[in-house]
Amino acid sequence: MGRHGWTSGARRWRLTALLGVGVAALALVVTLINTLPGGGSTAGTSRDGDKVHGTPATPPHQSEPYLGWGFTHTQFSADEGSGAATDRVEGLLDQSAGLPQNQHIMGWGADNPEPVKGRYDFGAMDRRIDFVRKSGGTPVVTLCCAPDWMKGGKAGVDNTNWSQAALETAPRPDHYKDFAALAATVAKRYPDVRHFIVWNEFKGFWNDAEGRWDYEGYTQLYNLVYQALKKVNKDIMVGGPYLVMDSVDPRQKEDASTTFRGTWGAMDQRVLDAFDYWNTHKAGADFVVVDGSSYTRDDDLLPNEFAATDKLTAVSEWVRQRTHDLPLWWAEYYVEPADGNDDRKGWSEPHRVAVQAAGLIAMVKGGASSGFYWNPEDEKGSDCPGCLWTPTDSADGGRALPMYDLVSRFSREFPPGTRYVTVSVARDDVPNVRVLASDRTVLVVNTLNRSISAQVDGKRFDMRAYEVKWLGR
């Protein structure tokens, strides 16, 4: 959504101090060898980008287009830090039996994968994939973003522009095939990755002249990537379009849909148009991907933070209807507006977890089968609102936080294929609780900032303010 920490943490190549004239001369020779005729270093890169990395996990015999509920690695994650802390997170995740983990190929913790055409640097990406493998996760790769030379920038490991504007620039049309080739290279390097998302939030695909999304350009890129990945392995699962499902104040006339609206607002018609074009002209899709927030583009929670999550149900139903029930993934979902620094620190943790739980329930009720929590891990410190675990910079880090308990348990209790059932809720409690139930588990969320006594599924129990309670059946 352009506000969730795009910084990459990329390495910068620097010459260290040289000891002696002989070493300096040798360094000069190496530099000249590793420099393109037109400028731009190739130092640290390799031509064998498609060489299988490490020891791939054994993928399932048959890939499925749904994975359940997991998270996305962001700029800082548990692949780096104190050994004790990273081991602690690996242990947590290993207990969660295949929790899906998503990683982008450039930015959000990964370096420029192809700084020069045909020359690759997958060091950071390798480390992230290794972490997913060691922690027993199911790897998912988001194919975003693109090397500078595909966007009109300079080639070379020294020339990567890590500004937000540069990172969020789409490849030029004459480089769409190059990006598809990079996607195929990634698929060959990590053969245990069977699920790929094409691009992120239509970044760089805005048509200024017409005031709408360049859905033709995105769809052209998507189709080339889809075809390239299927050539690598027909069992690879591919999905898009990863659109931000924006909504606006229902009283707004400009850009507001006249037919798709609710108490939570009105959908932005330009987004709906973009989705419909991709859906009509796509080469194929194994699953469909969206992201979005329960609040409007102006950060309004209508009519309140819990009722606003009904938007996630409505969007899920709309997408499923148009795609003839393709498995639906939410690549990102947000229920708490961010401040100008993209921080979400205004709520207490019980409040935050309760609204997140309501959001998860809302997506499931709309037919979603998979979703990825955007994990905002901090690099260091002890305060990390909304994070899954404490920062891994110190030996005491990597400890589970309340949000991890919610995401991991939701994934465990409500996996793909769950048969959901309706349970009784006392009439007086209906406005105060959100409920999701299967044959064996009931999830109950208190939406009030006070204690209540609730009766659900024939059981009477007390709940603290904003409590999330799990009941066995």
Side-chain angles (χ1 to χ4, degrees), residues 9-244:
R11 297 190 303 271
R12 295 290 184 267
W13 297 93
R14 295 185 176 92
L15 291 176
T16 57
L18 300 177
L19 301 177
V21 175
V23 176
L26 178 60
L28 178 60
V29 171
V30 172
T31 299
L32 291 173
I33 291 174
N34 291 323
T35 300
L36 294 170
S41 174
T42 61
T45 64
S46 169
R47 293 189 182 279
D48 59 353
D50 59 357
K51 179 181 179 181
V52 174
H53 167 70
T55 305
T58 302
H61 176 68
Q62 182 175 357
S63 300
E64 299 292 349
Y66 37 74
L67 292 179
W69 305 88
F71 67 93
T72 293
H73 290 279
T74 52
Q75 179 182 1
F76 306 110
S77 199
D79 59 310
E80 291 187 294
S82 161
T86 57
D87 288 347
R88 188 172 291 118
V89 177
E90 285 178 9
L92 282 174
L93 294 171
D94 192 49
Q95 295 172 15
S96 298
L99 199 68
Q101 300 179 38
N102 177 35
Q103 174 62 45
H104 292 61
I105 63 169
M106 180 176 175
W108 298 283
D111 292 335
N112 187 336
E114 192 178 4
V116 175
K117 185 173 183 177
R119 305 284 305 209
Y120 304 94
D121 177 11
F122 284 111
M125 187 74 182
D126 289 347
R127 187 175 64 244
R128 286 282 169 96
I129 294 296
D130 285 343
F131 178 83
V132 177
R133 290 170 175 170
K134 289 170 63 179
S135 60
T138 301
V140 176
V141 166
T142 294
L143 296 164
C144 183
C145 293
D148 295 59
W149 59 271
M150 296 187 192
K151 303 177 293 191
K154 296 180 179 179
V157 296
D158 301 324
N159 294 324
T160 300
N161 184 345
W162 290 107
S163 70
Q164 183 174 2
L167 190 62
E168 296 186 351
T169 298
R172 292 184 173 182
D174 56 334
H175 286 295
Y176 287 173
K177 289 183 179 179
D178 291 318
F179 188 80
L182 174 58
T185 297
V186 173
K188 293 174 183 177
R189 187 172 186 85
Y190 311 116
D192 47 340
V193 178
R194 291 293 178 86
H195 299 83
F196 289 85
I197 301 173
V198 183
W199 207 243
N200 172 304
E201 296 184 332
F202 266 43
K203 284 179 168 61
F205 283 100
W206 179 254
N207 186 325
D208 284 314
E210 299 186 22
R212 65 168 178 82
W213 292 108
D214 176 18
Y215 38 74
E216 299 96 339
Y218 169 79
T219 304
Q220 183 182 354
L221 175 69
Y222 173 90
N223 287 343
L224 288 169
V225 172
Y226 177 89
Q227 292 158 354
L229 291 174
K230 291 294 186 178
K231 286 182 180 179
V232 173
N233 186 340
K234 62 179 178 57
D235 292 329
I236 286 176
M237 303 278 104
V238 187
Y242 201 152
L243 264 169
V244 183

